[in-house]
Amino acid sequence: MDSDSVFGAIVRAPEDPILGVTVAYNKDPSPNKLNLGVGAYRTEEGKPVVLSVVRKAEQLLVNDQSQIKEYLPIVGLADFNKLSAKLIFGADSPAIQQNRVVTVQCLSGTGSLRVGAEFLARHYHELTIYIPQPTWGNHPKIFTLAGLSVKTYRYYDPATRGLNFQGLLEDLGAAPSGAIVLLHACAHNPTGVDPTLEQWEQIRQLMRSKGLLPFFDSAYQGFASGSLDADAQSVRTFVADGGECLVAQSYAKNMGLYGERVGALSIVCKTEDVASRVESQLKLVIRPMYSNPPIHGASIVATILKDSNMYNEWTVELKAMADRIISMRQQLYDALSAKGTPGDWSHIIKQIGMFTFTGLNSEQVAFMTKEYHIYMTSDGRISMAGLSSKTVPHLTDAIHAAVTRFG
């Protein structure tokens, strides 16, 4: 302990379990090392990518002399907010037409969740939020720090490597009336397991009958299936019944704007009057937190979404990213099948989105890191976007060895 420092008693915090994987990977000198921990898209060559349409939008912004760097309003860029709501709820959404939606620009998905959670902690009558078991590691921290009490509902079934739908319905059925429920709009992180549309409809009916408040986290719209509309179906089902809900949106994955921190929080209200009062209170949450959001990333998104040619170009690039990930799933499944690796690996092609929940345990993961220099989170989650045709054989060998040795 450094007795001369006022901070001398501070203990070292553990590494973030997800970001810590990259730290360990960076220290490894092996030429065969493979990082499957990070939730960011990579090309077949393993390189980060900036979408062509994003470069084009940035060029337009740079060349536009009327673009200034003044502060945005507290709620962010008006065009961006309007277009973001349209993207998730649909161009013909009655909620938008009736001015019942309030949208505020936030700092990507994390910031949108945090602003929404702080708002609920101040203004909602039930301070309990139910999150799926498992879920993204940051979810419980965000909600707890905002002042909500976090409980879990059953979601993943390790036996089938699919959805524990019965458990989910039982747990939500037992939740107190009015509780908040966090739902992954699509491409559930970390499992890649999503409810079917029929199951979503059952979830909606149950939640509405009990007055549970849906809070959607939409981090992968268009990135999961390749279709922006298909990936928004869960959200639109809930909005179509005229009920209220919250939606956090991120453009990190689907526009590759990770480091620009671009996102939005939308709250669908019963009436236009309620929406306007909700917006006034959201401003009071945001102002002492970060005053107002950054301008550059939101301007890129607005530029792309309001120009039909650029929008179409974006959907093509987005589908190409989604398709590459889907093809990696197929290649990995085929390679494991060809090698005769023990067990059923069909969940790899059934799951959707950036991640696969392999079913590997922490002992098997540690073995793969030590012997094969493959880095992933200890729960066996791998980022399919970090894989390529060249690295599938190496991963297959590692999984085969791990499963054979620690069956």
Side-chain angles (χ1 to χ4, degrees), residues 61-385:
L61 291 166
V62 168
N63 295 340
D64 180 355
Q65 292 306 305
S66 70
Q67 279 290 319
I68 48 169
K69 300 291 186 188
E70 294 278 302
Y71 292 126
L72 285 176
I74 296 171
V75 296
L77 191 67
D79 268 358
F80 168 85
N81 290 337
K82 204 159 82 222
L83 293 159
S84 293
K86 197 171 129 181
L87 187 70
I88 189 72
F89 299 124
D92 51 359
S93 168
I96 295 176
Q97 285 159 3
Q98 294 154 14
N99 294 319
R100 297 190 286 111
V101 180
V102 49
T103 304
V104 295
Q105 181 193 333
C106 297
L107 307 183
S108 207
T110 302
S112 306
L113 290 163
R114 184 65 188 263
V115 169
E118 298 265 353
F119 167 79
L120 291 169
R122 273 184 221 183
H123 299 286
Y124 188 60
H125 63 88
E126 173 56 70
L127 299 185
T128 309
I129 184 163
Y130 282 75
I131 63 175
Q133 178 67 35
T135 191
W136 181 45
N138 219 10
H139 279 147
K141 299 170 194 170
I142 291 167
F143 297 123
T144 302
L145 280 172
L148 298 174
S149 155
V150 174
K151 294 206 162 89
T152 60
Y153 61 90
R154 280 171 285 174
Y155 189 85
Y156 177 73
D157 182 354
T160 63
R161 293 176 190 174
L163 183 66
N164 180 357
F165 190 52
Q166 209 43 53
L168 178 151
L169 292 177
E170 282 170 23
D171 290 350
L172 294 187
S177 165
I180 309 155
V181 179
L182 180 87
L183 302 162
H184 295 230
C186 67
H188 180 274
N189 174 5
T191 69
V193 173
D194 285 354
T196 63
L197 282 177
E198 294 73 36
Q199 288 172 329
W200 271 121
E201 179 52 27
Q202 278 182 261
I203 294 168
R204 186 195 66 79
Q205 288 176 12
L206 171 67
M207 285 182 62
R208 292 309 195 196
S209 72
K210 288 191 54 92
L212 302 173
L213 180 65
F215 193 159
F216 283 98
D217 185 355
S218 174
Y220 299 96
Q221 188 186 354
F223 197 92
S225 67
S227 159
L228 287 156
D229 288 325
D231 291 348
Q233 276 309 116
S234 60
V235 175
R236 292 176 190 178
T237 305
F238 277 78
V239 176
D241 67 14
E244 295 175 304
C245 65
L246 294 86
V247 184
Q249 273 171 285
S250 163
Y251 288 96
K253 317 293 195 291
N254 59 13
M255 275 197 197
L257 295 174
Y258 306 94
E260 296 290 357
R261 314 307 296 137
V262 200
L265 170 73
S266 287
I267 304 186
V268 180
C269 304
K270 275 284 191 203
T271 67
E272 182 175 356
D273 176 53
V274 173
S276 129
R277 284 182 279 142
V278 165
E279 182 181 48
S280 73
Q281 290 294 343
L282 283 170
K283 289 180 188 173
L284 298 192
V285 172
I286 292 167
R287 177 70 171 133
M289 201 189 281
Y290 54 83
S291 276
N292 46 262
I295 198 164
H296 185 67
S299 303
I300 295 171
V301 173
T303 303
I304 292 169
L305 294 184
K306 69 182 168 201
D307 179 291
S308 59
N309 289 333
M310 290 179 91
Y311 177 87
N312 291 335
E313 196 179 325
W314 172 49
T315 59
V316 171
E317 288 195 82
L318 179 53
K319 182 157 180 12
M321 290 194 287
D323 286 350
R324 191 182 95 71
I325 288 177
I326 291 165
S327 96
M328 283 303 111
R329 289 183 177 281
Q330 193 63 52
Q331 285 181 41
L332 179 59
Y333 172 72
D334 290 347
L336 288 165
S337 302
K339 205 169 175 61
T341 303
D344 176 6
W345 297 94
S346 61
H347 58 284
I348 293 174
I349 45 180
K350 286 182 195 146
Q351 293 171 6
I352 191 168
M354 189 173 274
F355 301 108
T356 288
F357 221 44
T358 57
L360 296 165
N361 62 38
S362 55
E363 190 182 26
Q364 292 167 328
V365 170
F367 167 82
M368 287 167 61
T369 301
K370 185 167 179 287
E371 300 296 326
Y372 288 84
H373 307 275
I374 293 173
Y375 291 81
M376 60 179 115
T377 49
S378 60
D379 59 7
R381 180 193 89 163
I382 61 174
S383 171
M384 297 310 291

Side-chain angles (χ1 to χ4, degrees), residues 33-34 36 44 328 386-396:
K33 66 182 179 177
L34 182 56
L36 301 178
E44 177 67 24
M328 283 303 111
L387 265 185
S388 71
S389 305
K390 291 192 281 291
T391 53
V392 163
H394 181 53
L395 176 61
T396 305

